[in-house]
Amino acid sequence: MDLRDYGFMPNMLPENTKGIPARITAVHKERYALVCEYGETYGRLKTKEYYGGLEEFPTTGDFVLINYLPGSDSQIIRTLPRRTFFIRKDPDPNKGGQAVASNFDYVFIMQSLNQDFNAKRMERYLTLAWQSGAVPVIVLTKADLAEEYDSYIRIAESLAADASVHVVSAKTGAGLDALAGYMTPGKTIVFLGSSGIGKSSLVNALAKKEIMAVNGIREDDSKGRHTTTHRQMIMLEGGAMIIDTPGMRELGMWEVSGGLDMAFSDVEQYLGRCRFSDCRHRTEPGCAIREAIANGELSRERWESYAALQKEAGYSEDKAAFLRQKQQRNKGIAMYNRRKKSESKKYGRGGAE
């Protein structure tokens, strides 16, 4: 098997390396599905390198070096540098970021044209996609179920910045030709979206055969259960690869300063233009943000989305600093309350003698 078909380039190999290159196609807890020059195989992490903190834990899409063991699980000894990657907050609050996919070229941000459509979630996904280093593409699915979707397109285009917006139907085939330009040999696409939006159906439509199971959606809320139970990379006959990701309805912000710059360029243009350099954009005079909102140049909803994601990202990027600031703020509030309580006792409820 030629690993170059899976996007590998010889210049990815550091000098004086040991082992042979492989790409991770799926993660099953502590066991990894791999492809290498010997074909498909499985591998486990070398304890000293990974659990000793010497190497980044690999994820789907990663290129790694392995000690190949025919007829047994190979030994994964090194994670090669990533071109692009998604990272989210680990569900374990005691841990940091968790890589969920790597080395992809495009991110298909998918939402269906029904009750699942959510502008706030799209803003979040766009931020993460720009931060990943790949090219985001908005794909609105299930066009066959929507009687009218022009309003959805306008919302998506208003949020997209430089990302393209496509409307497709896996059932009728409408719009699929427009996606062909992304599905070229050696390219990897991440499908990002919540359950029930038609990811598996779109994979099958692009592959022109059923390679993924498809679950229906609940009639009452148009949501579905996760068809994919683990992150996996699928090679299509045309040579493009798709990484499908389960359980991605909620993606915690983690190191997304660059992503915010791209996803919210309409907001960022006003930052630094306030009268005061430490403006909090609340009641300060000469605030460029508040003036833009008042003039109709910037919507309040857009600013509030940016501020919310920035706050979440700030906590993720520097938890220690965030917690120190929060502790100091709470300490100040507590001191103020104690002082007010003392004054209340001294002067009585009316606040004056």
Side-chain angles (χ1 to χ4, degrees):
M1 180 178 291
D2 192 341
L3 198 59
R4 289 177 296 183
D5 293 338
Y6 284 81
F8 179 77
M9 300 297 292
N11 60 8
M12 293 179 179
L13 281 177
E15 295 182 359
N16 303 319
T17 57
K18 296 180 180 179
I20 64 170
R23 192 173 193 188
I24 293 177
T25 58
V27 178
H28 305 277
K29 292 186 177 179
E30 296 181 356
R31 197 169 186 236
Y32 297 79
L34 304 164
V35 290
C36 67
E37 61 185 79
Y38 298 107
E40 298 180 355
T41 185
Y42 286 89
R44 294 182 183 272
L45 303 178
K46 188 175 181 181
T47 302
K48 178 181 177 182
E49 275 70 10
Y50 285 94
Y51 294 96
L54 301 177
E55 288 291 333
E56 290 279 348
F57 280 84
T59 189
T60 304
D62 266 329
F63 290 101
V64 296
L65 294 178
I66 65 172
N67 289 330
Y68 178 71
L69 300 174
S72 181
D73 284 354
S74 297
Q75 192 177 51
I76 302 173
I77 60 176
R78 183 171 182 178
T79 303
L80 295 179
R82 295 160 172 157
R83 289 189 299 108
T84 59
F85 63 94
F86 268 133
I87 188 168
R88 66 174 175 180
K89 285 193 295 186
D90 195 290
D92 185 343
N94 298 316
K95 296 182 180 180
Q98 179 191 63
V100 295
S102 69
N103 297 314
F104 43 86
D105 301 279
Y106 302 104
V107 181
F108 279 11
I109 299 170
M110 300 174 61
Q111 290 201 1
S112 58
L113 293 167
N114 59 7
Q115 296 177 41
D116 177 81
F117 189 91
N118 187 308
K120 298 293 186 184
R121 190 183 306 137
M122 186 177 293
E123 289 174 329
R124 174 180 291 263
Y125 285 174
L126 277 164
T127 300
L128 289 160
W130 284 119
Q131 182 68 26
S132 75
V135 177
V137 179
I138 296 175
V139 180
L140 305 179
T141 64
K142 300 187 178 182
D144 55 288
L145 298 181
E147 295 182 1
E148 188 279 325
Y149 47 76
D150 288 346
S151 59
Y152 292 131
I153 295 176
R154 286 195 295 271
I155 293 172
E157 289 178 340
S158 70
L159 302 177
D162 294 326
S164 299
V165 178
H166 300 282
V167 177
V168 303
S169 168
K171 184 176 182 179
T172 67
L176 296 185
D177 288 345
L179 302 182
Y182 306 103
M183 316 297 293
T184 55
K187 297 295 184 181
T188 302
I189 300 98
V190 165
F191 278 21
L192 187 62
S194 56
S195 59
I197 49 86
K199 288 187 293 179
S200 298
S201 296
L202 184 57
V203 170
N204 293 338
L206 293 171
K208 298 181 180 179
K209 62 180 179 180
E210 188 167 345
I211 60 178
M212 294 190 70
V214 177
N215 287 344
I217 61 174
R218 298 192 295 263
E219 295 294 336
D220 56 345
D221 60 4
S222 296
K223 293 183 173 64
R225 296 178 178 177
H226 299 302
T227 304
T228 309
T229 57
H230 59 275
R231 295 185 293 276
Q232 60 181 322
M233 187 171 70
I234 302 163
M235 172 69 81
L236 302 183
E237 287 186 359
M241 290 154 282
I242 292 172
I243 296 178
D244 192 15
T245 54
M248 302 293 270
R249 176 175 288 276
E250 296 300 334
L251 266 175
M253 297 286 104
W254 188 268
E255 297 179 358
V256 292
S257 56
L260 283 169
D261 290 347
M262 294 294 297
F264 289 87
S265 57
D266 56 329
V267 176
E268 291 264 342
Q269 65 177 316
Y270 297 104
L271 299 179
R273 292 165 55 180
C274 299
R275 182 185 301 177
F276 303 106
S277 60
D278 60 347
C279 183
R280 294 180 299 171
H281 317 298
R282 295 176 183 173
T283 59
E284 296 87 347
C287 173
I289 293 292
R290 292 174 56 232
E291 289 179 3
I293 293 173
N295 295 335
E297 299 172 9
L298 178 67
S299 72
R300 181 173 296 279
E301 292 77 15
R302 187 73 169 150
W303 163 247
E304 289 175 349
S305 292
Y306 173 86
L309 293 179
Q310 186 187 50
K311 181 178 180 181
E312 183 181 343
Y315 172 72
S316 297
E317 291 173 6
D318 191 349
K319 290 186 179 181
F322 182 91
L323 291 173
R324 283 196 301 271
Q325 292 174 5
K326 183 177 180 181
Q327 186 180 33
Q328 189 66 32
R329 184 169 64 250
N330 291 342
K331 183 178 179 180
I333 293 172
M335 290 176 63
Y336 173 80
N337 289 336
R338 285 196 300 269
R339 187 170 65 250
K340 294 296 290 183
K341 186 175 181 180
S342 176
E343 291 175 355
S344 178
K345 287 181 179 179
K346 180 177 179 180
Y347 297 113
R349 285 191 171 182
E353 290 185 309

